[in-house]
Amino acid sequence: MDFFDHQDIARKKTGRLVLLMSLAVISIIALIYVLVLVVAFQMAGSGSTSVGGSGFNGSSTPDIPYLGLLAATTVGVLVVVGGGSLVKTSQLAGGGKVVAESMGGRAINTDTTDPDERRVINVVHEMAIASGAPVPTVYMMDHEDGINAFAAGWSLDDAVIGVTRGCVQQLSRDELQGVIAHEFSHILNGDMRINLRLVGVIFGILVLSVIGSVVMRSIFYSGGSRRNNKEGGGAVIAIFFLGLALYIIGYVGVFFGRLIQAAISRQREFLADASAVQFTRNPDGIAGALKRIGGFASGSKLQNAHAIEHSHMFFGNAVGSFLGGALATHPPLPERIRRIDPSWEGGYPQGQTAPRGASLAQGALGFAGEAAPPPVSQPSPAMGFSPGAVTASAVEQIGELTPAHLQHAQHLIESLPSVLRTAAQTSTGAQAVVFAMLLDRRDPKVRSKQLAYLDSPSLGPVAALTQRLAGAADELEVEQRLPLLDLTLPALARLNPQEIEQWQTHLDALIAADQRLDLFEWALRQVVWRHLVAPERGGRGGKRKLTASREALSVLVSVLARIGAANAREAEKAFEAAGEQVGTLGLELLPAESVSMGRLTGAVDELSGVEPRGQRSIIAACAAAISADRQVTTRESELMRAVAETLGVPVPPLLPGQRLI
């Protein structure tokens, strides 16, 4: 399966989740309706009140409006459960950051000098650049000794990765890489969205228990049962037992919700384990991490009170299992290990801490302070890396990680000027790095205008740092620019909304200095806008059919067809190649003068709401347009990745000699 198939499956699982939870809610409505009838009979029988204004009709059977009570019960349960779910889901609207902070996580500054934190940051950066996904913020759970990790978020844009202190202290680099690869599988396969929906739905059912508890407490502490023994005492008792029943039914509903949660989670864990092996081609990494959990005193258990709420998101079992493991969100540890390492004999490392590699003071420094991983390929003169023969195209590898991409990402990061790589790790430095990349290299007048603008007092230390970084930024190869931009995103994300807005104003001023918007500037602005300004606008996919966005796709493909074309005939040929990827959609090659960068931005924004199958066609059409002349320039590749990032599609970097499609 490819990235788009996984997205479709994730959506279908969400649909099944809704169906299963709907059945659970219907069962709850039926149970509560029976209880309401019992209370109604009790109240009517006590003579303390009438039901629906009817009271007794002179017979031994109360006149009870059954359909009215059924409607009221149904509406009441739906309001309570649905309202509770909506409230919880709205609390989670901030994405993975909200989950991480509720688990006691602390965002790791990317300029950290702690060797353990530095190591996990570097592994995450490598994985992100290798997969074409945005670099997620990493959170450290300082007070958790268990070996565990999680990925959370609604989309690629707001995803975060959390790790426990025990995870980074107890695992070797290879084992840590296996764990992070497992979590990237959840990010790329669309599992995170289901996980957050599970939290919201189960919380909604739990609200019934909260209401039941409030009813019981109010009756108990008011002393109403004592004061009303003679008048309406039976009704008070009935209400008390209704509260008790709500409390019990709520927890029974949560129990079945946990069963659904566990069933959905366990199968995804097997897939993520297998994906981690596929990504790294190192089964010993993830298998070693699982074995170390088995031999570690704290295992993978967490102490945080919210652990049970988010247990299905974690790498290992975060809480104890009950009922023989029926509610366990993860498969048994031995079963997971044997699927990866069939020769395993059942032993766990006892009381050992894996060697974590050289500290900051040791060895040759590799990725911003960590001892460099051992080389796995022969360097090439161009980028210091040669992946060997690559048979799959870049489009075929969307949403995947391969050892070749990991190696390429490692060498790409190493090839960046150290002054830029270091600056990208702080909020001030990251702003300056982006500004430095925007300084015009061709026109001295435009560059002077930009530098004059940077003298503004409102820019403070960012302006001075930009000028110091300008020379290094000028030396960047074109293929290094977007990866460097990706490395700045976690540091830029630490700015508050007002600071981001002000910084973007300066960004737009530098871009507008030459009164035109070139493709790199457009790509950079799209990435910044998408990940920092409006991450909720796309990246979560949509339900729109591609046929409804035919005009938007025509705009996008028209731009791509003309970029690398030497003449009108070549542009037509590229456009025709793109059209073959979308069948009978009937695209129209638009005149160059009718397509502005603003129109291109609107088109890509609209296309981000297309369903996964349609997005597959969009990416294929873009790749076909670019590849029609059998060569892919760096500028075309850069634009392709910017378009893909706006769509929320993780296109990995194009390896040397690799086909785009």
Side-chain angles (χ1 to χ4, degrees):
M1 292 186 294
D2 63 15
F3 169 78
F4 305 100
D5 289 329
H6 282 302
Q7 301 305 303
D8 271 334
I9 289 173
R11 289 176 181 278
K12 290 175 182 177
K13 284 182 178 178
T14 300
R16 286 198 291 269
L17 169 64
V18 171
L19 175 61
L20 290 171
M21 288 302 183
S22 298
L23 293 175
V25 171
I26 290 172
S27 301
I28 290 171
I29 291 173
L31 288 172
I32 293 179
Y33 176 58
V34 171
L35 290 169
V36 169
L37 287 180
V38 171
V39 172
F41 271 99
Q42 180 67 30
M43 293 175 66
S46 69
S48 62
T49 185
S50 62
V51 179
S54 300
F56 273 104
N57 59 8
S59 66
S60 59
T61 303
D63 183 12
I64 296 176
Y66 296 99
L67 291 178
L69 283 178
L70 176 59
T73 301
T74 301
V75 171
V77 171
L78 291 178
V79 167
V80 170
V81 175
S85 295
L86 287 174
V87 167
K88 187 64 177 180
T89 301
S90 67
Q91 292 174 351
L92 297 170
K97 174 183 177 181
V98 178
V99 175
E101 291 178 349
S102 73
M103 290 300 304
R106 166 184 59 84
I108 301 176
N109 288 336
T110 46
D111 61 341
T112 178
T113 56
D114 180 286
D116 290 329
E117 295 178 358
R118 182 74 262 153
R119 192 160 49 96
V120 70
I121 285 286
N122 292 335
V123 171
V124 170
H125 285 183
E126 293 164 12
M127 290 277 178
I129 291 177
S131 65
V135 178
T137 301
V138 183
Y139 282 78
M140 176 71 74
M141 292 175 278
D142 290 300
H143 305 296
E144 298 289 356
D145 295 328
I147 301 172
N148 225 323
F150 71 90
W154 290 105
S155 69
L156 295 174
D157 298 311
D158 61 16
V160 306
I161 285 180
V163 293
T164 62
R165 178 62 70 177
C167 182
V168 297
Q169 289 183 340
Q170 298 297 323
L171 302 184
S172 68
R173 193 185 201 279
D174 281 352
E175 291 165 350
L176 181 62
Q177 188 184 61
V179 172
I180 299 301
H182 174 103
E183 298 309 325
F184 261 86
S185 171
H186 288 312
I187 293 174
L188 297 172
N189 291 340
D191 295 337
M192 298 186 303
R193 192 176 180 85
I194 302 174
N195 287 340
L196 289 180
R197 291 203 180 280
L198 272 169
V199 173
V201 171
I202 292 176
F203 180 84
I205 296 175
L206 184 62
V207 171
L208 291 172
S209 289
V210 175
I211 292 175
S213 176
V214 170
V215 170
M216 289 190 295
R217 287 174 181 270
S218 63
I219 294 293
F220 180 79
Y221 287 112
S222 68
S225 57
R226 292 192 298 273
R227 291 195 301 269
N228 296 291
N229 279 335
K230 294 183 179 180
E231 295 184 7
V236 172
I237 293 172
I239 293 174
F240 177 84
F241 279 103
L242 175 61
L244 176 62
L246 283 173
Y247 182 82
I248 294 172
I249 289 172
Y251 270 103
V252 170
V254 171
F255 170 79
F256 284 105
R258 299 289 184 204
L259 280 179
I260 296 170
Q261 177 191 53
I264 291 175
S265 177
R266 282 195 291 263
Q267 290 306 311
R268 294 203 314 273
E269 292 307 310
F270 281 133
L271 173 60
D273 286 347
S275 296
V277 175
Q278 176 188 344
F279 292 167
T280 62
R281 290 293 190 271
N282 181 13
D284 292 339
I286 187 169
L290 292 170
K291 293 172 187 177
R292 205 161 293 281
I293 288 174
F296 187 50
S298 299
S300 56
K301 298 298 184 290
L302 302 180
Q303 305 302 316
N304 189 281
H306 293 283
I308 189 169
E309 185 179 5
H310 302 119
S311 58
H312 57 294
M313 300 183 183
F314 281 85
F315 174 72
N317 274 321
V319 296
S321 58
F322 306 96
L323 300 177
L327 296 182
T329 54
H330 293 65
L333 199 60
E335 185 177 355
R336 292 177 70 182
I337 295 173
R338 284 198 173 92
R339 287 204 179 195
I340 301 169
D341 181 8
S343 64
W344 180 59
E345 297 179 352
Y348 296 110
Q350 298 292 331
Q352 302 176 24
T353 299
R356 301 199 298 275
S359 69
L360 288 175
Q362 295 175 301
L365 295 183
F367 309 118
E370 181 192 11
V376 289
S377 61
Q378 295 298 319
S380 68
M383 291 295 297
F385 166 69
S386 175
V390 181
T391 56
S393 70
V395 171
E396 290 170 332
Q397 292 183 325
I398 286 175
E400 293 184 7
L401 274 164
T402 68
H405 284 107
L406 277 175
Q407 294 159 22
H408 181 67
Q410 290 169 355
H411 287 280
L412 184 59
I413 294 172
E414 277 192 315
S415 73
L416 293 171
S418 60
V419 64
L420 295 177
R421 196 171 61 207
T422 301
Q425 297 166 3
T426 67
S427 296
T428 299
Q431 295 176 69
V433 167
V434 177
F435 287 166
M437 286 195 290
L438 286 173
L439 294 178
D440 199 293
R441 304 184 189 186
R442 299 180 302 271
D443 190 334
K445 292 183 179 179
V446 173
R447 189 181 182 95
S448 297
K449 184 177 179 181
Q450 291 172 319
L451 291 173
Y453 177 85
L454 289 172
D455 284 336
S456 169
S458 63
L459 283 164
V462 175
L465 184 54
T466 300
Q467 297 199 35
R468 289 202 299 271
L469 298 176
D474 289 342
E475 299 299 320
L476 286 172
E477 300 291 339
V478 176
E479 60 265 32
Q480 294 175 305
R481 295 189 297 185
L482 280 184
L484 178 58
L485 176 63
D486 287 338
L487 291 180
T488 67
L489 294 177
L492 292 171
R494 296 203 297 269
L495 298 172
N496 63 47
Q498 293 75 23
E499 290 172 328
I500 290 176
E501 183 178 1
Q502 185 179 27
W503 177 71
Q504 192 190 16
T505 299
H506 298 313
L507 186 76
D508 290 342
L510 291 178
I511 290 174
D514 59 356
Q515 303 298 312
R516 58 187 294 273
L517 184 66
D518 67 27
L519 289 175
F520 170 69
E521 292 170 340
W522 180 86
L524 183 146
R525 197 179 187 285
Q526 281 295 104
V527 171
V528 168
W529 176 83
R530 174 63 188 285
H531 300 312
L532 300 178
V533 182
E536 74 282 357
R537 297 281 302 277
R540 304 182 183 185
K543 297 181 179 179
R544 186 187 298 119
K545 298 293 184 182
L546 183 56
T547 51
S549 297
R550 183 180 68 86
E551 182 179 348
L553 184 56
S554 292
V555 171
L556 173 59
V557 175
S558 294
V559 172
L560 292 173
R562 295 184 185 282
I563 285 176
N567 51 56
R569 178 61 195 128
E570 285 191 8
E572 292 173 2
K573 182 180 177 182
F575 189 85
E576 290 169 1
E580 292 174 0
Q581 300 294 326
V582 293
T584 58
L585 195 59
L587 300 182
E588 178 186 359
L589 178 59
L590 304 175
E593 60 273 11
S594 70
V595 181
S596 64
M597 285 298 180
R599 191 176 181 187
L600 175 62
T601 300
V604 175
D605 188 24
E606 178 181 334
L607 292 171
S608 67
V610 171
E611 63 178 356
R613 291 182 182 179
Q615 287 194 338
R616 177 195 280 116
S617 298
I618 293 170
I619 295 296
C622 292
I626 290 174
S627 303
D629 58 0
R630 300 188 180 278
Q631 61 178 350
V632 180
T633 66
T634 305
R635 187 174 67 154
E636 290 172 328
S637 176
E638 194 172 63
L639 179 60
M640 174 78 176
R641 288 198 67 190
V643 168
E645 283 206 41
T646 306
L647 296 177
V649 177
V651 176
L654 193 65
L655 299 175
Q658 185 181 28
R659 295 176 293 113
L660 184 58
I661 187 172

